Amino acid sequence: MKKHLNFLDRFLTLWIFLAMLIGVGIGYFIPNSADFINSFSRGTTNIPLAIGLILMMYPPLTKVDFSKIPIMFKKPKILLASFIITWIVGPFLMFLLSIFFLKDYPEYMTGLIIIGLAPCIAMVIVWNELAEGNRELTAGLVGINSLLQVLFFSLYAYFYLEIMLPLFGIKGLKLNITIFQIATTVGVYLGIPFTLAVTSRFLIKKYLGDKWFNQKFLPFVSPLTLIALLFTIVVMFSLKGKMIVQLPLDVIRIAIPLVIFFAIMFLLMFFVGKKVGAEYRDNAAISFTASGNNFELAIAVSIGVFGINSGQAFAGVIGPLVEVPALITLVNVAFWLRKKYY
């Protein structure tokens, strides 16, 4: 029997649209709303938004069982294929799509590049469950990807934005970002929730037990991700209320390369997985891991480095709006491929 999304996740695209509309309404109809929101800033950091972004990252990281990572090394071919496509092919593919579709919109282009640098560590668990993939393998992949993001995301972002863009003839953006800026942002928005998640997971399991952690704590904190994401969207769009006329076209511009990315990554990983001998459950796990992205981190880094009003942050927000319907479609594609090839 096929699994189904819960009520909140099933209508995630609708909630994001509503949050956008509320934000635009606040910015358009309430005078000085942008000044009020910006009054809570210290330097380049907006305090309420920083809290919201950290809360957004915390629940998915608490769900990661890092003890499952050793499972990965029992399947070296699958692990190697997953690593190459997820961490080498994926970022480069998003880089190329961003340049091709958004070269005339440099802020959106760099925002999309940032999205492509980190594989999903949250909703991938949902897509894998729906597609009846290998839960333990997904947990292992999420664990490895979480650690890699903490350690290497800042280096990766600097490499693609400051070194690769000029190599491809994209000059004059004047990004002027340092690796220290990116590392600091990643340290705050990924390092803090990562440390809190690992610590709380260990302490709760030790003193209250696995059953209480899984049946009480996780259901309690899980909705925080959606609440924090919607809060971020309302705040960001309230600052862009005057740009309401430009909004629909910009959403479409950003959505097209994202949809292409999801489709190519899923199908490429699936057929490579089939080639290296992965059974269906393993193949579903690595394919959804490769095709999804960590939009929470992309939004946090874009806001932290480029600012809350930036096009990079706007591109990050559009990500989950596009990902949810696209990945639900790919769940059905996975079942069709299972029927055809397994």
Side-chain angles (χ1 to χ4, degrees):
M1 193 174 84
K2 285 188 184 181
K3 300 181 179 77
H4 295 283
L5 285 168
N6 64 39
F7 178 76
L8 284 176
D9 290 335
R10 194 184 322 143
F11 295 104
L12 181 56
T13 302
L14 173 63
W15 309 142
I16 293 170
F17 262 126
L18 288 174
M20 286 177 169
L21 289 172
I22 291 167
V24 169
I26 291 169
Y28 193 78
F29 294 110
I30 301 177
N32 303 319
S33 56
D35 293 335
F36 177 74
I37 292 164
N38 284 322
S39 70
F40 293 99
S41 296
R42 294 290 177 273
T44 57
T45 305
N46 184 275
I47 306 300
L49 207 56
I51 294 167
L53 289 164
I54 290 167
L55 288 175
M56 183 167 38
M57 292 295 296
Y58 174 71
L61 288 165
T62 59
K63 295 175 185 176
V64 178
D65 186 353
F66 291 96
S67 66
K68 298 282 174 66
I69 289 177
I71 293 167
M72 296 293 306
F73 299 100
K74 295 177 183 176
K75 301 175 179 182
K77 280 187 180 178
I78 294 173
L79 176 60
L80 182 62
S82 175
F83 176 81
I84 290 171
I85 290 176
T86 303
W87 281 97
I88 297 172
V89 175
F92 188 63
L93 173 63
M94 188 72 94
F95 177 79
L96 293 178
L97 289 169
S98 303
I99 291 173
F100 183 77
F101 284 98
L102 296 167
K103 193 173 182 179
D104 295 332
Y105 301 88
E107 288 195 357
Y108 296 159
M109 180 182 70
T110 52
L112 223 60
I113 290 168
I114 291 169
I115 288 170
L117 299 179
C120 185
I121 59 169
M123 286 298 284
V124 61
I125 296 164
V126 176
W127 310 132
N128 180 70
E129 284 290 307
L130 290 174
E132 297 171 11
N134 186 329
R135 190 180 297 171
E136 288 73 27
L137 181 58
T138 301
L141 287 168
V142 166
I144 288 175
N145 289 337
S146 301
L147 290 171
L148 289 174
Q149 284 171 37
V150 172
L151 296 172
F152 300 116
F153 185 88
S154 52
L155 287 168
Y156 233 32
Y158 186 81
F159 172 73
Y160 269 100
L161 296 178
E162 290 291 316
I163 297 171
M164 286 294 283
L165 277 175
L167 284 178
F168 277 72
I170 311 294
K171 293 176 182 173
L173 290 185
K174 294 180 181 174
L175 294 174
N176 293 325
I177 54 171
T178 65
I179 197 163
F180 178 75
Q181 279 177 289
I182 301 171
T184 302
T185 303
V186 173
V188 171
Y189 294 115
L190 186 56
I192 290 174
F194 180 84
T195 304
L196 289 173
V198 171
T199 305
S200 59
R201 183 184 177 91
F202 172 76
L203 292 175
I204 292 168
K205 283 186 166 234
K206 183 178 180 180
Y207 293 107
L208 296 172
D210 286 5
K211 188 176 178 182
W212 197 91
F213 177 81
N214 291 317
Q215 294 181 7
K216 300 286 185 183
F217 182 72
L218 285 184
F220 174 73
V221 298
S222 289
L224 276 178
T225 296
L226 177 58
I227 293 164
L229 173 63
L230 296 178
F231 171 75
T232 302
I233 292 168
V234 169
V235 172
M236 286 181 59
F237 277 79
S238 65
L239 292 168
K240 293 178 175 290
K242 305 290 188 233
M243 296 170 63
I244 190 167
V245 178
Q246 299 168 358
L247 201 61
L249 276 179
D250 287 359
V251 170
I252 293 166
R253 282 190 189 102
I254 296 164
I256 291 169
L258 278 171
V259 170
I260 295 169
F261 174 84
F262 296 142
I264 291 175
M265 287 296 290
F266 180 85
L267 293 171
L268 177 65
M269 187 72 256
F270 190 91
F271 286 111
V272 169
K274 182 84 171 63
K275 188 79 174 171
V276 298
E279 60 180 53
Y280 171 76
R281 291 181 69 247
D282 291 349
N283 213 348
I286 59 178
S287 297
F288 282 105
T289 303
S291 50
N293 291 100
N294 187 346
F295 290 104
E296 295 91 346
L297 180 58
I299 293 167
V301 169
S302 293
I303 290 173
V305 175
F306 298 104
I308 191 173
N309 292 303
S310 67
Q312 289 88 346
F314 179 75
V317 167
I318 300 306
L321 178 73
V322 180
E323 185 189 43
V324 175
L327 272 289
I328 287 172
T329 303
L330 287 174
V331 168
N332 292 313
V333 171
F335 285 125
W336 182 81
L337 290 169
R338 179 173 67 176
K339 199 173 179 182
K340 188 172 174 65
Y341 292 104
Y342 289 94

